[in-house]
Amino acid sequence: MSAHVTISPSEAADRLAIRELVEAYAHCADRRDAKGQMSLFTEDTHFVVYMNAKDPAPSMELHSRESLAPVFSDLNKYDATTHFIGQSTIFTLTADRATGEAYCLAHHVSVEGGKRRLMVASLRYLDKFVKVDGVWLFAERLLYVDWLEERGMS
């Protein structure tokens, strides 16, 4: 277990704001608020998806806030989603930049032909954050899918 160190109130506030940013991303996803989700990113954001975390080639790579719209709107195909945020670690933190990693279990419910199905994905995000006008935003978000499970629901 790591030793606890004293941090300044400013650092504590930044760490909390970054955690709330990560949680806001999941909240917007589950509420189908694509515009709200997009607002969490810088204009020139870098967003990369690795549908197979073991494959070094990305499945998708985007280079702007506006290019995120169809990705986030794609969640509308699900009847319901729930994203559980697990551990979230800040690796580096300065006054206006940070890096970190967050784990998420994403649950996606679909209905086809009257049958419900559940897809659960274990996700990891490697993030670069930037503080713009006092607000923390995602400057880069790398999404890794570690595993998927699909099953029928009753």
Side-chain angles (χ1 to χ4, degrees):
M1 194 160 134
S2 63
H4 292 280
V5 296
T6 302
I7 61 174
S8 71
S10 175
E11 181 179 344
D14 284 338
R15 288 178 176 275
L16 178 60
I18 291 169
R19 175 64 188 202
E20 288 176 343
L21 174 66
V22 169
E23 291 171 352
Y25 177 91
H27 176 87
C28 289
D30 291 338
R31 306 276 173 314
R32 305 305 184 274
D33 181 4
K35 287 184 180 181
Q37 202 169 8
M38 290 167 56
S39 74
L40 305 173
F41 290 81
T42 60
E43 288 286 341
D44 63 345
T45 197
H46 186 217
F47 187 86
V48 185
V49 177
Y50 297 86
M51 288 303 293
N52 177 354
K54 294 178 183 172
D55 186 349
S59 310
M60 177 189 323
E61 188 166 359
L62 305 170
H63 295 279
S64 71
R65 178 189 292 164
E66 289 306 312
S67 66
L68 298 172
V71 176
F72 296 156
S73 292
D74 192 50
L75 288 173
N76 290 318
K77 69 183 178 186
Y78 296 104
D79 193 49
T81 62
T82 303
H83 292 77
F84 286 108
I85 304 298
Q87 65 268 35
S88 179
T89 304
I90 301 294
F91 295 135
T92 63
L93 178 63
T94 66
D96 63 351
R97 300 213 177 268
T99 61
E101 180 179 49
Y103 282 68
C104 175
L105 282 179
H107 300 72
H108 298 82
V109 177
S110 58
V111 179
E112 292 181 31
K115 296 189 180 195
R116 292 170 32 120
R117 296 205 46 83
L118 173 65
M119 184 268 289
V120 179
S122 175
L123 309 177
R124 276 181 303 116
Y125 295 95
L126 290 180
D127 296 313
K128 291 182 182 176
F129 308 99
V130 64
K131 194 177 200 181
V132 179
D133 296 327
V135 177
W136 284 100
L137 299 171
F138 294 106
E140 178 177 78
R141 186 148 237 221
L142 309 180
L143 187 167
Y144 293 90
V145 179
D146 285 324
W147 55 262
L148 292 171
E149 179 185 354
E150 294 190 49
R151 60 181 176 249
M153 295 177 67
S154 56

PDB file of all heavy atoms in Angstrom, residues 82-118:
ATOM      1  N   THR A  82     -25.552   1.337 -18.748  1.00  0.00           N
ATOM      2  CA  THR A  82     -25.068   1.740 -17.429  1.00  0.00           C
ATOM      3  C   THR A  82     -23.562   1.580 -17.435  1.00  0.00           C
ATOM      4  O   THR A  82     -23.054   0.504 -17.737  1.00  0.00           O
ATOM      5  CB  THR A  82     -25.680   0.878 -16.308  1.00  0.00           C
ATOM      6  OG1 THR A  82     -27.101   0.964 -16.371  1.00  0.00           O
ATOM      7  CG2 THR A  82     -25.204   1.337 -14.944  1.00  0.00           C
ATOM      8  N   HIS A  83     -22.864   2.652 -17.138  1.00  0.00           N
ATOM      9  CA  HIS A  83     -21.408   2.643 -17.077  1.00  0.00           C
ATOM     10  C   HIS A  83     -20.982   2.816 -15.617  1.00  0.00           C
ATOM     11  O   HIS A  83     -21.228   3.856 -15.031  1.00  0.00           O
ATOM     12  CB  HIS A  83     -20.826   3.771 -17.937  1.00  0.00           C
ATOM     13  CG  HIS A  83     -21.040   3.568 -19.392  1.00  0.00           C
ATOM     14  ND1 HIS A  83     -22.235   3.798 -20.011  1.00  0.00           N
ATOM     15  CD2 HIS A  83     -20.189   3.147 -20.354  1.00  0.00           C
ATOM     16  CE1 HIS A  83     -22.121   3.529 -21.304  1.00  0.00           C
ATOM     17  NE2 HIS A  83     -20.890   3.138 -21.538  1.00  0.00           N
ATOM     18  N   PHE A  84     -20.375   1.773 -15.049  1.00  0.00           N
ATOM     19  CA  PHE A  84     -19.871   1.822 -13.679  1.00  0.00           C
ATOM     20  C   PHE A  84     -18.399   2.197 -13.711  1.00  0.00           C
ATOM     21  O   PHE A  84     -17.577   1.459 -14.260  1.00  0.00           O
ATOM     22  CB  PHE A  84     -20.010   0.469 -12.976  1.00  0.00           C
ATOM     23  CG  PHE A  84     -21.408   0.127 -12.585  1.00  0.00           C
ATOM     24  CD1 PHE A  84     -22.107  -0.850 -13.269  1.00  0.00           C
ATOM     25  CD2 PHE A  84     -22.032   0.774 -11.529  1.00  0.00           C
ATOM     26  CE1 PHE A  84     -23.402  -1.176 -12.912  1.00  0.00           C
ATOM     27  CE2 PHE A  84     -23.330   0.448 -11.165  1.00  0.00           C
ATOM     28  CZ  PHE A  84     -24.016  -0.530 -11.858  1.00  0.00           C
ATOM     29  N   ILE A  85     -18.041   3.331 -13.148  1.00  0.00           N
ATOM     30  CA  ILE A  85     -16.652   3.756 -13.084  1.00  0.00           C
ATOM     31  C   ILE A  85     -16.003   3.119 -11.862  1.00  0.00           C
ATOM     32  O   ILE A  85     -16.512   3.218 -10.755  1.00  0.00           O
ATOM     33  CB  ILE A  85     -16.542   5.306 -12.977  1.00  0.00           C
ATOM     34  CG1 ILE A  85     -17.272   5.982 -14.123  1.00  0.00           C
ATOM     35  CG2 ILE A  85     -15.077   5.732 -12.914  1.00  0.00           C
ATOM     36  CD1 ILE A  85     -16.744   5.668 -15.497  1.00  0.00           C
ATOM     37  N   GLY A  86     -14.883   2.450 -12.100  1.00  0.00           N
ATOM     38  CA  GLY A  86     -14.140   1.813 -11.014  1.00  0.00           C
ATOM     39  C   GLY A  86     -13.000   2.698 -10.568  1.00  0.00           C
ATOM     40  O   GLY A  86     -13.150   3.922 -10.457  1.00  0.00           O
ATOM     41  N   GLN A  87     -11.832   2.091 -10.395  1.00  0.00           N
ATOM     42  CA  GLN A  87     -10.691   2.882  -9.941  1.00  0.00           C
ATOM     43  C   GLN A  87     -10.309   3.910 -10.988  1.00  0.00           C
ATOM     44  O   GLN A  87     -10.418   3.692 -12.180  1.00  0.00           O
ATOM     45  CB  GLN A  87      -9.505   1.992  -9.563  1.00  0.00           C
ATOM     46  CG  GLN A  87      -8.904   1.208 -10.708  1.00  0.00           C
ATOM     47  CD  GLN A  87      -9.498  -0.171 -10.863  1.00  0.00           C
ATOM     48  OE1 GLN A  87     -10.678  -0.390 -10.624  1.00  0.00           O
ATOM     49  NE2 GLN A  87      -8.681  -1.111 -11.281  1.00  0.00           N
ATOM     50  N   SER A  88      -9.896   5.033 -10.507  1.00  0.00           N
ATOM     51  CA  SER A  88      -9.460   6.138 -11.345  1.00  0.00           C
ATOM     52  C   SER A  88      -8.183   6.666 -10.716  1.00  0.00           C
ATOM     53  O   SER A  88      -8.193   7.091  -9.565  1.00  0.00           O
ATOM     54  CB  SER A  88     -10.553   7.218 -11.373  1.00  0.00           C
ATOM     55  OG  SER A  88     -10.163   8.309 -12.145  1.00  0.00           O
ATOM     56  N   THR A  89      -7.095   6.620 -11.469  1.00  0.00           N
ATOM     57  CA  THR A  89      -5.790   6.986 -10.938  1.00  0.00           C
ATOM     58  C   THR A  89      -5.220   8.162 -11.708  1.00  0.00           C
ATOM     59  O   THR A  89      -5.240   8.169 -12.936  1.00  0.00           O
ATOM     60  CB  THR A  89      -4.814   5.788 -11.051  1.00  0.00           C
ATOM     61  OG1 THR A  89      -5.391   4.666 -10.390  1.00  0.00           O
ATOM     62  CG2 THR A  89      -3.468   6.115 -10.444  1.00  0.00           C
ATOM     63  N   ILE A  90      -4.726   9.145 -10.994  1.00  0.00           N
ATOM     64  CA  ILE A  90      -4.011  10.263 -11.596  1.00  0.00           C
ATOM     65  C   ILE A  90      -2.530   9.898 -11.561  1.00  0.00           C
ATOM     66  O   ILE A  90      -1.975   9.645 -10.491  1.00  0.00           O
ATOM     67  CB  ILE A  90      -4.252  11.579 -10.825  1.00  0.00           C
ATOM     68  CG1 ILE A  90      -5.733  11.932 -10.771  1.00  0.00           C
ATOM     69  CG2 ILE A  90      -3.420  12.715 -11.444  1.00  0.00           C
ATOM     70  CD1 ILE A  90      -6.359  12.257 -12.093  1.00  0.00           C
ATOM     71  N   PHE A  91      -1.891   9.859 -12.731  1.00  0.00           N
ATOM     72  CA  PHE A  91      -0.465   9.539 -12.802  1.00  0.00           C
ATOM     73  C   PHE A  91       0.394  10.781 -12.622  1.00  0.00           C
ATOM     74  O   PHE A  91       1.387  10.751 -11.905  1.00  0.00           O
ATOM     75  CB  PHE A  91      -0.114   8.887 -14.142  1.00  0.00           C
ATOM     76  CG  PHE A  91      -0.759   7.547 -14.364  1.00  0.00           C
ATOM     77  CD1 PHE A  91      -1.346   7.250 -15.577  1.00  0.00           C
ATOM     78  CD2 PHE A  91      -0.785   6.581 -13.382  1.00  0.00           C
ATOM     79  CE1 PHE A  91      -1.932   6.021 -15.813  1.00  0.00           C
ATOM     80  CE2 PHE A  91      -1.375   5.344 -13.593  1.00  0.00           C
ATOM     81  CZ  PHE A  91      -1.950   5.064 -14.823  1.00  0.00           C
ATOM     82  N   THR A  92       0.042  11.852 -13.335  1.00  0.00           N
ATOM     83  CA  THR A  92       0.795  13.105 -13.244  1.00  0.00           C
ATOM     84  C   THR A  92      -0.195  14.249 -13.122  1.00  0.00           C
ATOM     85  O   THR A  92      -1.311  14.177 -13.646  1.00  0.00           O
ATOM     86  CB  THR A  92       1.679  13.338 -14.494  1.00  0.00           C
ATOM     87  OG1 THR A  92       0.841  13.471 -15.647  1.00  0.00           O
ATOM     88  CG2 THR A  92       2.662  12.196 -14.693  1.00  0.00           C
ATOM     89  N   LEU A  93       0.222  15.298 -12.413  1.00  0.00           N
ATOM     90  CA  LEU A  93      -0.654  16.455 -12.227  1.00  0.00           C
ATOM     91  C   LEU A  93       0.188  17.708 -12.045  1.00  0.00           C
ATOM     92  O   LEU A  93       1.058  17.760 -11.174  1.00  0.00           O
ATOM     93  CB  LEU A  93      -1.555  16.244 -11.002  1.00  0.00           C
ATOM     94  CG  LEU A  93      -2.505  17.370 -10.632  1.00  0.00           C
ATOM     95  CD1 LEU A  93      -3.531  17.626 -11.728  1.00  0.00           C
ATOM     96  CD2 LEU A  93      -3.205  17.059  -9.310  1.00  0.00           C
ATOM     97  N   THR A  94      -0.067  18.693 -12.909  1.00  0.00           N
ATOM     98  CA  THR A  94       0.523  20.022 -12.755  1.00  0.00           C
ATOM     99  C   THR A  94      -0.644  20.999 -12.657  1.00  0.00           C
ATOM    100  O   THR A  94      -1.803  20.591 -12.582  1.00  0.00           O
ATOM    101  CB  THR A  94       1.439  20.394 -13.947  1.00  0.00           C
ATOM    102  OG1 THR A  94       0.638  20.513 -15.129  1.00  0.00           O
ATOM    103  CG2 THR A  94       2.530  19.351 -14.151  1.00  0.00           C
ATOM    104  N   ALA A  95      -0.343  22.277 -12.678  1.00  0.00           N
ATOM    105  CA  ALA A  95      -1.392  23.292 -12.531  1.00  0.00           C
ATOM    106  C   ALA A  95      -2.438  23.220 -13.641  1.00  0.00           C
ATOM    107  O   ALA A  95      -3.607  23.512 -13.412  1.00  0.00           O
ATOM    108  CB  ALA A  95      -0.771  24.684 -12.487  1.00  0.00           C
ATOM    109  N   ASP A  96      -2.033  22.791 -14.863  1.00  0.00           N
ATOM    110  CA  ASP A  96      -3.007  22.795 -15.963  1.00  0.00           C
ATOM    111  C   ASP A  96      -2.956  21.560 -16.856  1.00  0.00           C
ATOM    112  O   ASP A  96      -3.589  21.521 -17.902  1.00  0.00           O
ATOM    113  CB  ASP A  96      -2.829  24.057 -16.827  1.00  0.00           C
ATOM    114  CG  ASP A  96      -1.470  24.111 -17.506  1.00  0.00           C
ATOM    115  OD1 ASP A  96      -0.591  23.273 -17.201  1.00  0.00           O
ATOM    116  OD2 ASP A  96      -1.290  25.010 -18.350  1.00  0.00           O
ATOM    117  N   ARG A  97      -2.229  20.529 -16.450  1.00  0.00           N
ATOM    118  CA  ARG A  97      -2.162  19.290 -17.229  1.00  0.00           C
ATOM    119  C   ARG A  97      -2.129  18.100 -16.278  1.00  0.00           C
ATOM    120  O   ARG A  97      -1.601  18.190 -15.171  1.00  0.00           O
ATOM    121  CB  ARG A  97      -0.919  19.255 -18.103  1.00  0.00           C
ATOM    122  CG  ARG A  97      -0.877  20.396 -19.097  1.00  0.00           C
ATOM    123  CD  ARG A  97      -0.217  20.011 -20.389  1.00  0.00           C
ATOM    124  NE  ARG A  97      -0.257  21.119 -21.329  1.00  0.00           N
ATOM    125  CZ  ARG A  97      -1.211  21.317 -22.234  1.00  0.00           C
ATOM    126  NH1 ARG A  97      -2.202  20.474 -22.327  1.00  0.00           N
ATOM    127  NH2 ARG A  97      -1.169  22.360 -23.040  1.00  0.00           N
ATOM    128  N   ALA A  98      -2.687  16.983 -16.766  1.00  0.00           N
ATOM    129  CA  ALA A  98      -2.679  15.767 -15.962  1.00  0.00           C
ATOM    130  C   ALA A  98      -2.803  14.557 -16.881  1.00  0.00           C
ATOM    131  O   ALA A  98      -3.244  14.685 -18.030  1.00  0.00           O
ATOM    132  CB  ALA A  98      -3.831  15.777 -14.947  1.00  0.00           C
ATOM    133  N   THR A  99      -2.399  13.411 -16.356  1.00  0.00           N
ATOM    134  CA  THR A  99      -2.612  12.145 -17.046  1.00  0.00           C
ATOM    135  C   THR A  99      -3.210  11.174 -16.045  1.00  0.00           C
ATOM    136  O   THR A  99      -3.011  11.310 -14.825  1.00  0.00           O
ATOM    137  CB  THR A  99      -1.308  11.553 -17.614  1.00  0.00           C
ATOM    138  OG1 THR A  99      -0.402  11.296 -16.537  1.00  0.00           O
ATOM    139  CG2 THR A  99      -0.669  12.483 -18.640  1.00  0.00           C
ATOM    140  N   GLY A 100      -3.950  10.202 -16.559  1.00  0.00           N
ATOM    141  CA  GLY A 100      -4.550   9.237 -15.657  1.00  0.00           C
ATOM    142  C   GLY A 100      -5.136   8.047 -16.383  1.00  0.00           C
ATOM    143  O   GLY A 100      -5.096   7.951 -17.620  1.00  0.00           O
ATOM    144  N   GLU A 101      -5.682   7.148 -15.586  1.00  0.00           N
ATOM    145  CA  GLU A 101      -6.318   5.935 -16.097  1.00  0.00           C
ATOM    146  C   GLU A 101      -7.594   5.692 -15.300  1.00  0.00           C
ATOM    147  O   GLU A 101      -7.614   5.868 -14.081  1.00  0.00           O
ATOM    148  CB  GLU A 101      -5.366   4.744 -15.940  1.00  0.00           C
ATOM    149  CG  GLU A 101      -5.933   3.434 -16.430  1.00  0.00           C
ATOM    150  CD  GLU A 101      -4.938   2.287 -16.275  1.00  0.00           C
ATOM    151  OE1 GLU A 101      -4.368   2.140 -15.173  1.00  0.00           O
ATOM    152  OE2 GLU A 101      -4.742   1.553 -17.246  1.00  0.00           O
ATOM    153  N   ALA A 102      -8.640   5.272 -16.009  1.00  0.00           N
ATOM    154  CA  ALA A 102      -9.907   4.943 -15.347  1.00  0.00           C
ATOM    155  C   ALA A 102     -10.429   3.622 -15.893  1.00  0.00           C
ATOM    156  O   ALA A 102     -10.297   3.341 -17.090  1.00  0.00           O
ATOM    157  CB  ALA A 102     -10.937   6.045 -15.580  1.00  0.00           C
ATOM    158  N   TYR A 103     -11.008   2.828 -15.013  1.00  0.00           N
ATOM    159  CA  TYR A 103     -11.626   1.567 -15.395  1.00  0.00           C
ATOM    160  C   TYR A 103     -13.140   1.740 -15.402  1.00  0.00           C
ATOM    161  O   TYR A 103     -13.694   2.513 -14.609  1.00  0.00           O
ATOM    162  CB  TYR A 103     -11.276   0.471 -14.387  1.00  0.00           C
ATOM    163  CG  TYR A 103      -9.900  -0.101 -14.543  1.00  0.00           C
ATOM    164  CD1 TYR A 103      -8.765   0.660 -14.279  1.00  0.00           C
ATOM    165  CD2 TYR A 103      -9.724  -1.412 -14.952  1.00  0.00           C
ATOM    166  CE1 TYR A 103      -7.499   0.130 -14.419  1.00  0.00           C
ATOM    167  CE2 TYR A 103      -8.459  -1.956 -15.095  1.00  0.00           C
ATOM    168  CZ  TYR A 103      -7.348  -1.177 -14.822  1.00  0.00           C
ATOM    169  OH  TYR A 103      -6.090  -1.702 -14.957  1.00  0.00           O
ATOM    170  N   CYS A 104     -13.803   0.988 -16.299  1.00  0.00           N
ATOM    171  CA  CYS A 104     -15.256   1.090 -16.408  1.00  0.00           C
ATOM    172  C   CYS A 104     -15.821  -0.261 -16.827  1.00  0.00           C
ATOM    173  O   CYS A 104     -15.258  -0.936 -17.691  1.00  0.00           O
ATOM    174  CB  CYS A 104     -15.603   2.148 -17.462  1.00  0.00           C
ATOM    175  SG  CYS A 104     -17.353   2.307 -17.822  1.00  0.00           S
ATOM    176  N   LEU A 105     -16.941  -0.648 -16.225  1.00  0.00           N
ATOM    177  CA  LEU A 105     -17.741  -1.772 -16.712  1.00  0.00           C
ATOM    178  C   LEU A 105     -18.965  -1.168 -17.376  1.00  0.00           C
ATOM    179  O   LEU A 105     -19.780  -0.512 -16.717  1.00  0.00           O
ATOM    180  CB  LEU A 105     -18.162  -2.706 -15.572  1.00  0.00           C
ATOM    181  CG  LEU A 105     -17.095  -3.663 -15.070  1.00  0.00           C
ATOM    182  CD1 LEU A 105     -17.639  -4.507 -13.922  1.00  0.00           C
ATOM    183  CD2 LEU A 105     -16.574  -4.556 -16.189  1.00  0.00           C
ATOM    184  N   ALA A 106     -19.059  -1.353 -18.685  1.00  0.00           N
ATOM    185  CA  ALA A 106     -20.157  -0.785 -19.466  1.00  0.00           C
ATOM    186  C   ALA A 106     -21.177  -1.872 -19.767  1.00  0.00           C
ATOM    187  O   ALA A 106     -20.828  -2.932 -20.287  1.00  0.00           O
ATOM    188  CB  ALA A 106     -19.616  -0.199 -20.770  1.00  0.00           C
ATOM    189  N   HIS A 107     -22.422  -1.599 -19.415  1.00  0.00           N
ATOM    190  CA  HIS A 107     -23.529  -2.527 -19.642  1.00  0.00           C
ATOM    191  C   HIS A 107     -24.438  -1.931 -20.703  1.00  0.00           C
ATOM    192  O   HIS A 107     -24.919  -0.804 -20.536  1.00  0.00           O
ATOM    193  CB  HIS A 107     -24.327  -2.739 -18.351  1.00  0.00           C
ATOM    194  CG  HIS A 107     -23.512  -3.298 -17.226  1.00  0.00           C
ATOM    195  ND1 HIS A 107     -22.556  -2.557 -16.556  1.00  0.00           N
ATOM    196  CD2 HIS A 107     -23.499  -4.517 -16.669  1.00  0.00           C
ATOM    197  CE1 HIS A 107     -22.000  -3.314 -15.624  1.00  0.00           C
ATOM    198  NE2 HIS A 107     -22.552  -4.506 -15.674  1.00  0.00           N
ATOM    199  N   HIS A 108     -24.688  -2.684 -21.784  1.00  0.00           N
ATOM    200  CA  HIS A 108     -25.512  -2.212 -22.893  1.00  0.00           C
ATOM    201  C   HIS A 108     -26.639  -3.213 -23.125  1.00  0.00           C
ATOM    202  O   HIS A 108     -26.370  -4.382 -23.427  1.00  0.00           O
ATOM    203  CB  HIS A 108     -24.679  -2.092 -24.171  1.00  0.00           C
ATOM    204  CG  HIS A 108     -23.575  -1.105 -24.074  1.00  0.00           C
ATOM    205  ND1 HIS A 108     -22.360  -1.392 -23.499  1.00  0.00           N
ATOM    206  CD2 HIS A 108     -23.498   0.183 -24.473  1.00  0.00           C
ATOM    207  CE1 HIS A 108     -21.588  -0.325 -23.560  1.00  0.00           C
ATOM    208  NE2 HIS A 108     -22.243   0.649 -24.136  1.00  0.00           N
ATOM    209  N   VAL A 109     -27.874  -2.768 -22.989  1.00  0.00           N
ATOM    210  CA  VAL A 109     -29.051  -3.609 -23.190  1.00  0.00           C
ATOM    211  C   VAL A 109     -29.645  -3.282 -24.553  1.00  0.00           C
ATOM    212  O   VAL A 109     -29.931  -2.118 -24.853  1.00  0.00           O
ATOM    213  CB  VAL A 109     -30.107  -3.375 -22.084  1.00  0.00           C
ATOM    214  CG1 VAL A 109     -31.358  -4.209 -22.352  1.00  0.00           C
ATOM    215  CG2 VAL A 109     -29.518  -3.691 -20.708  1.00  0.00           C
ATOM    216  N   SER A 110     -29.842  -4.326 -25.357  1.00  0.00           N
ATOM    217  CA  SER A 110     -30.485  -4.142 -26.660  1.00  0.00           C
ATOM    218  C   SER A 110     -31.717  -5.028 -26.735  1.00  0.00           C
ATOM    219  O   SER A 110     -31.817  -6.035 -26.025  1.00  0.00           O
ATOM    220  CB  SER A 110     -29.521  -4.462 -27.802  1.00  0.00           C
ATOM    221  OG  SER A 110     -29.044  -5.787 -27.699  1.00  0.00           O
ATOM    222  N   VAL A 111     -32.651  -4.622 -27.570  1.00  0.00           N
ATOM    223  CA  VAL A 111     -33.873  -5.395 -27.787  1.00  0.00           C
ATOM    224  C   VAL A 111     -34.024  -5.593 -29.286  1.00  0.00           C
ATOM    225  O   VAL A 111     -34.087  -4.627 -30.045  1.00  0.00           O
ATOM    226  CB  VAL A 111     -35.119  -4.666 -27.218  1.00  0.00           C
ATOM    227  CG1 VAL A 111     -36.373  -5.486 -27.478  1.00  0.00           C
ATOM    228  CG2 VAL A 111     -34.948  -4.380 -25.736  1.00  0.00           C
ATOM    229  N   GLU A 112     -34.034  -6.860 -29.700  1.00  0.00           N
ATOM    230  CA  GLU A 112     -34.225  -7.206 -31.104  1.00  0.00           C
ATOM    231  C   GLU A 112     -35.228  -8.335 -31.189  1.00  0.00           C
ATOM    232  O   GLU A 112     -35.074  -9.355 -30.525  1.00  0.00           O
ATOM    233  CB  GLU A 112     -32.903  -7.624 -31.741  1.00  0.00           C
ATOM    234  CG  GLU A 112     -31.902  -6.491 -31.872  1.00  0.00           C
ATOM    235  CD  GLU A 112     -30.612  -6.929 -32.531  1.00  0.00           C
ATOM    236  OE1 GLU A 112     -30.649  -7.841 -33.384  1.00  0.00           O
ATOM    237  OE2 GLU A 112     -29.577  -6.355 -32.180  1.00  0.00           O
ATOM    238  N   GLY A 113     -36.252  -8.120 -32.007  1.00  0.00           N
ATOM    239  CA  GLY A 113     -37.279  -9.151 -32.154  1.00  0.00           C
ATOM    240  C   GLY A 113     -37.943  -9.518 -30.852  1.00  0.00           C
ATOM    241  O   GLY A 113     -38.290 -10.672 -30.640  1.00  0.00           O
ATOM    242  N   GLY A 114     -38.080  -8.537 -29.967  1.00  0.00           N
ATOM    243  CA  GLY A 114     -38.714  -8.777 -28.676  1.00  0.00           C
ATOM    244  C   GLY A 114     -37.821  -9.471 -27.661  1.00  0.00           C
ATOM    245  O   GLY A 114     -38.248  -9.758 -26.551  1.00  0.00           O
ATOM    246  N   LYS A 115     -36.580  -9.770 -28.025  1.00  0.00           N
ATOM    247  CA  LYS A 115     -35.645 -10.431 -27.107  1.00  0.00           C
ATOM    248  C   LYS A 115     -34.608  -9.435 -26.617  1.00  0.00           C
ATOM    249  O   LYS A 115     -34.023  -8.699 -27.402  1.00  0.00           O
ATOM    250  CB  LYS A 115     -34.960 -11.606 -27.797  1.00  0.00           C
ATOM    251  CG  LYS A 115     -35.948 -12.691 -28.167  1.00  0.00           C
ATOM    252  CD  LYS A 115     -35.226 -13.914 -28.638  1.00  0.00           C
ATOM    253  CE  LYS A 115     -36.301 -14.928 -28.984  1.00  0.00           C
ATOM    254  NZ  LYS A 115     -35.799 -16.249 -29.127  1.00  0.00           N
ATOM    255  N   ARG A 116     -34.402  -9.454 -25.301  1.00  0.00           N
ATOM    256  CA  ARG A 116     -33.411  -8.563 -24.697  1.00  0.00           C
ATOM    257  C   ARG A 116     -32.070  -9.275 -24.599  1.00  0.00           C
ATOM    258  O   ARG A 116     -32.008 -10.453 -24.262  1.00  0.00           O
ATOM    259  CB  ARG A 116     -33.878  -8.138 -23.304  1.00  0.00           C
ATOM    260  CG  ARG A 116     -35.095  -7.242 -23.347  1.00  0.00           C
ATOM    261  CD  ARG A 116     -35.730  -7.002 -21.984  1.00  0.00           C
ATOM    262  NE  ARG A 116     -34.827  -6.991 -20.862  1.00  0.00           N
ATOM    263  CZ  ARG A 116     -34.647  -5.960 -20.024  1.00  0.00           C
ATOM    264  NH1 ARG A 116     -35.353  -4.858 -20.192  1.00  0.00           N
ATOM    265  NH2 ARG A 116     -33.828  -6.040 -19.022  1.00  0.00           N
ATOM    266  N   ARG A 117     -30.996  -8.514 -24.895  1.00  0.00           N
ATOM    267  CA  ARG A 117     -29.636  -9.021 -24.784  1.00  0.00           C
ATOM    268  C   ARG A 117     -28.808  -8.017 -23.988  1.00  0.00           C
ATOM    269  O   ARG A 117     -29.061  -6.818 -24.050  1.00  0.00           O
ATOM    270  CB  ARG A 117     -29.014  -9.227 -26.158  1.00  0.00           C
ATOM    271  CG  ARG A 117     -29.745 -10.299 -26.953  1.00  0.00           C
ATOM    272  CD  ARG A 117     -28.923 -10.985 -28.013  1.00  0.00           C
ATOM    273  NE  ARG A 117     -27.587 -11.432 -27.696  1.00  0.00           N
ATOM    274  CZ  ARG A 117     -27.259 -12.584 -27.091  1.00  0.00           C
ATOM    275  NH1 ARG A 117     -28.199 -13.392 -26.682  1.00  0.00           N
ATOM    276  NH2 ARG A 117     -26.003 -12.907 -26.890  1.00  0.00           N
ATOM    277  N   LEU A 118     -27.835  -8.541 -23.270  1.00  0.00           N
ATOM    278  CA  LEU A 118     -26.927  -7.707 -22.484  1.00  0.00           C
ATOM    279  C   LEU A 118     -25.511  -7.916 -22.987  1.00  0.00           C
ATOM    280  O   LEU A 118     -25.050  -9.054 -23.126  1.00  0.00           O
ATOM    281  CB  LEU A 118     -27.002  -8.076 -21.001  1.00  0.00           C
ATOM    282  CG  LEU A 118     -25.985  -7.390 -20.079  1.00  0.00           C
ATOM    283  CD1 LEU A 118     -26.221  -5.890 -20.029  1.00  0.00           C
ATOM    284  CD2 LEU A 118     -26.051  -7.995 -18.680  1.00  0.00           C
TER     285      LEU A 118
END
